[in-house]
Amino acid sequence: MDTRALIVDEKLSMDGTGTLLIAGETTNVPRSLPSYLKENRWLVDHEKSLKEAASTLKSKHYEAGLILIDDDTETNVSDIEKCLEASSLNWMALIHPDLLDNASILRLMRRHCYAYHVLPGRNEQVECILRHACAMRRLHELQRKNDATIVDDYEMVGTTPGMKQLFDTVRRVAAVDAPVFISGESGTGKELAAHAIHERSQRRDGPFIAVNCGALPSNLIQSELFGHEKGAFTGASQRKIGKVEAAQGGTLFLDEIGDLPLEMQVNLLRFLEDHLIQRIGSTKEITVDVRILAATHVDLEKAVKEGRFREDLYHRLNVLQIFLPPLRERQADIEVLARFFFDKFANEKASQVKGFSQEALRLMQCHSWPGNIRELINRVRRALVMCETRLIKPEDLGLERRQSSRGIITLEQARDRAEYEALVSALGRNRYKIQNAARELGVSRVTLYRLMEKHRIHREVAVV
């Protein structure tokens, strides 16, 4: 049995009613089991057909599952697998002892089952294991709710003080109708921030149009942004509405604005000044009501000094500012983000994977994440495909010790780093409540304050 089932909060394991689906049929299970479970406050459904059970799992929510696998049934391995893969439930298997020699059945149970018991099984033992399975499910859901702060549906996740301040800034700038300049390294989620601003603004019922200025062909930029009339140039077989005009009444997000050629910067500046555009091949001016959000990973102030970006356009765009920190500066969020994206993509592929190993979590904390959140997403999705065990290992993520090292360090530096990471992680998990974090780390509040001062973790973000 998985020993984690015994390490649960008694309140979580015993409080309230559990919802259970029993799948399959066998004559070896005591007939009193369903009644016994119901008497102990379980809400029980029983589907004797595994195919019907798989269908039921798609429409109803359960906290635990009990699958019956007997040697006198006609159920094949394929039916069992489809049932187990229909949901991410903590499954318990009741199995005939003779089937413990069946390699296919054992492989399925190892991949998909939380625990198993041989038939017939005592009611009390079965119910105890199911309670633990249900408690672990509730604990997982509770962790998901408490771990992260999420802005709308755009996967802006974080618990650090810097991210909480960012969420507050998003809400503030969304309330006004001025241009916003979003800066940050590639992969930090600039488009997600722009989406969140749009969804919280008065323009949320209008369109959100995103344009990657760096990906537009130089000879088609003007047409893509401002549109053209039929016959305006060779190949213009019909009128085309540009991205700016398509965003009428909504928000236009200009990503990688730093890559926009100088000649197009003039046209964009003119539009920002009078909100008028002309399609190529037309003499008619069109008024467009649109809010501009711009983003880049380029240092635009430096680009202005070097003559690669117009200063007047920079000041037009840079009315309100948002900076997205790189992932390496959000160490306490790495585990939270990894678990968030694990849950998001876990259903893409039927898998036995239940989470991350401690070694994988430790190496993720040490990795420098040059690709930021985009890299984290890619590594988590890769791990879900490559992992063949219940817990993701470093090699599944493509992380190795020598790759994760940020350089040669002394033993004292390694200790300081581990101490800092433990502090930041504990404070993040406990939302910077000193008493709770100190209790988790096994130190006094005085010691925790001293360590925070040593590692320059500011007290003003902490809550006593």
Side-chain angles (χ1 to χ4, degrees), residues 331 415-425 455-457:
Q331 208 160 42
R415 287 171 178 163
D416 283 343
R417 176 182 294 175
E419 193 173 70
Y420 172 82
E421 291 171 357
L423 285 170
V424 172
S425 296
H455 293 286
R456 298 180 181 178
I457 300 173

Side-chain angles (χ1 to χ4, degrees), residues 325-349:
L327 188 54
R328 62 181 175 276
E329 295 179 7
R330 301 170 50 192
Q331 208 160 42
D333 283 338
I334 292 173
E335 181 177 345
V336 172
L337 284 161
R339 294 188 188 280
F340 175 79
F341 290 116
F342 175 91
D343 291 336
K344 177 178 174 61
F345 299 116
N347 293 329
E348 286 189 348
K349 173 182 178 291

Side-chain angles (χ1 to χ4, degrees), residues 18 36 45 55 99 106 210 213 219 222 250 283 312 342 381 436:
Y36 179 85
D45 287 338
S55 178
L99 291 178
L106 291 180
C213 298
N219 60 328
Q222 187 166 355
T283 58
D312 45 5
F342 175 91
R381 296 184 79 175
N436 295 348

